[in-house]
Amino acid sequence: MKMKVLENEPNKIVFLLEDSKPALANALRRVILGEVPVMAINEVTMYENTSVMFDEYVAHRLGMIPLTTDLKNYKKPGECCGGNCSSCSVDFTIDETGPKSVHSSDMKTSDPKVKPVSGKIPIVDLDNGQRLRLEAKAVLGTGEEHARWQAGNAAYRSVSEVKLNKEGETRSELMNLCPKNVFGIKKDKVFVEKPMECNACNSCVETYPEGVEVTPNQTKFLFKVWTDGQMTAQKTLVEAIKVLEQKNKEMKKLVDSMK
């Protein structure tokens, strides 16, 4: 298996996965969605809430606010005391009185390394004299437990091999026919300019079945990973690979025990 990075931004990474199989690509996607741990609020103690929003609504909003994640210094609650100490949980407080709009920037954290990824996320509007006072606790979790712990999103598709049977002689209508602008034209001749953009819609094949061939490559995949900022996309991908490696070791150990 080989990986070639095409784009690498803080919250997005695009890469080619080569010499692989659909099962492995899908396993990597599922691990990113459900098994990479990130921080999220899962417990809220409400002391005072005189806003127009029910306690449950406020708690739900807090739980869905993405938090920066520090995997080095925190453990999952199940690997520690259950979420009651500074090794596996982070405390947040809010104490605000209206009139004002309460945003994620108003959340005070016990660890500066774990905080909302953005201070502009709205929580609730307080009218004159209304108050919101609460404590919240964030712990590590995974997307398979709840969506608030989903580390990111991932998608992939096989890379298609596009071939013109009569190089440069296929009708120029292909230029307007392809929705992904795969074909280019040079000196009045059509050629395959952007094969990576082809998503195998087969519009060209259906129109010119004798002139174009599109064959999905089941060993080469274009992979994209996005995050909300809890971790960088690259860090999320690295952690997902670690999870897959651990699963592989456990499977090998299980198989060996059956011999």
Side-chain angles (χ1 to χ4, degrees):
M1 183 180 73
K2 296 186 295 184
M3 297 176 67
K4 180 181 179 182
V5 177
L6 304 177
E7 296 179 37
N8 191 3
E9 301 174 10
N11 294 338
K12 178 185 177 182
I13 187 168
V14 181
F15 61 93
L16 272 178
L17 185 65
E18 301 179 275
D19 296 334
S20 183
K21 295 181 179 180
L24 180 58
N26 192 46
L28 181 58
R29 180 189 70 86
R30 290 176 66 90
V31 168
I32 291 170
L33 293 177
E35 298 188 56
V36 175
V38 291
M39 279 283 185
I41 289 172
N42 78 320
E43 184 179 311
V44 178
T45 302
M46 198 73 66
Y47 294 109
E48 187 173 354
N49 177 23
T50 54
S51 71
V52 297
M53 189 172 290
F54 295 129
D55 294 353
E56 294 83 357
Y57 288 4
V58 175
H60 180 266
R61 286 194 171 190
L62 291 172
M64 298 306 293
I65 293 175
L67 306 175
T68 56
T69 296
D70 179 11
L71 293 179
K72 290 183 179 179
N73 297 315
Y74 289 93
K75 304 175 183 177
K76 289 184 179 180
E79 300 171 354
C80 193
C81 65
N84 297 308
C85 72
S86 60
S87 295
C88 61
S89 66
V90 179
D91 295 326
F92 289 86
T93 60
I94 295 178
D95 190 353
E96 300 293 334
T97 303
K100 71 168 295 181
S101 293
V102 181
H103 288 76
S104 51
S105 58
D106 296 310
M107 298 169 61
K108 306 299 187 295
T109 175
S110 62
D111 182 357
K113 292 182 179 180
V114 181
K115 61 183 179 179
V117 299
S118 170
K120 299 180 180 180
I121 302 172
I123 298 173
V124 65
D125 289 334
L126 298 178
D127 205 347
N128 193 23
Q130 293 180 340
R131 187 181 183 188
L132 180 66
R133 185 167 68 94
L134 59 83
E135 291 181 357
K137 183 178 294 183
V139 297
L140 286 174
T142 57
E144 61 186 3
E145 300 172 60
H146 193 277
R148 61 175 169 263
W149 283 300
Q150 185 170 316
N153 203 352
Y156 71 91
R157 63 172 172 81
S158 59
V159 175
S160 298
E161 296 179 355
V162 185
K163 180 182 178 183
L164 296 177
N165 289 335
K166 295 181 180 179
E167 186 69 28
E169 296 180 11
T170 305
R171 297 180 61 179
S172 59
E173 283 84 347
L174 281 172
M175 292 287 297
N176 299 321
L177 183 64
C178 179
K180 292 294 184 177
N181 299 317
V182 171
F183 302 100
I185 190 166
K186 188 175 182 180
K187 295 182 179 180
D188 297 327
K189 293 185 177 182
V190 177
F191 68 101
V192 181
E193 183 178 21
K194 303 175 183 177
M196 290 289 297
E197 296 296 321
C198 180
N199 63 357
C201 71
N202 282 332
S203 296
C204 56
V205 177
E206 292 171 1
T207 306
Y208 303 107
E210 296 180 358
V212 187
E213 291 183 23
V214 176
T215 307
N217 188 333
Q218 294 300 307
T219 65
K220 190 175 183 180
F221 306 92
L222 182 65
F223 219 108
K224 298 181 181 181
V225 180
W226 304 265
T227 69
D228 290 326
Q230 301 99 318
M231 295 185 293
T232 64
Q234 181 176 335
K235 175 68 172 175
T236 301
L237 176 60
V238 170
E239 292 299 322
I241 293 173
K242 288 180 181 178
V243 172
L244 277 178
E245 288 176 341
Q246 182 60 34
K247 285 178 173 290
N248 184 56
K249 290 179 182 178
E250 293 174 358
M251 177 61 74
K252 184 177 184 303
K253 185 178 179 180
L254 179 62
V255 173
D256 289 342
S257 68
M258 296 178 181
K259 295 180 180 178

